[in-house]
Amino acid sequence: MDMWAAYAKLVREYAPQAQILFDRFHIVKHLQEAVDELRASEMRRLSGEQKTTFKKTRWLLLKNPWNLTNDQKERLSTLVRWNTPIVVLII
């Protein structure tokens, strides 16, 4: 179902035995928003050289690992070594 609280409330009220499952679209949407917020806060925190490495990593962080090129794998490895909060969110 949609993640709107009113829907979940109605289901709990009228079908308390039902298991609530949220649709993939909304889950992915919330994950992408969280990634964007963390990327923005990290960009403000980083120094000049680190910002250059961190730039244009949005799709790198959201891409399926098996579809990463060697260059993208290396960039992702750099982010992991920095141990930034965004890595914790993705993992």
Side-chain angles (χ1 to χ4, degrees), residues 44-79:
R44 288 189 293 273
R45 187 184 68 80
L46 296 174
S47 66
E49 185 180 325
Q50 290 175 323
K51 279 186 181 183
T52 304
T53 303
F54 202 72
K55 264 186 171 179
K56 299 184 181 182
T57 57
R58 180 176 192 260
W59 295 115
L60 171 65
L61 294 166
L62 297 173
K63 194 172 182 179
N64 286 324
W66 53 86
N67 291 331
L68 293 172
T69 65
N70 287 336
D71 181 53
Q72 291 170 332
K73 287 177 186 176
E74 187 176 322
R75 289 182 69 207
L76 185 58
S77 176
T78 300
L79 293 178

Side-chain angles (χ1 to χ4, degrees), residues 24-36 58:
R24 184 172 187 240
F25 170 82
H26 288 93
I27 293 170
V28 171
K29 178 183 173 221
H30 286 288
L31 176 61
Q32 289 176 342
E33 288 171 356
V35 168
D36 287 343
R58 180 176 192 260

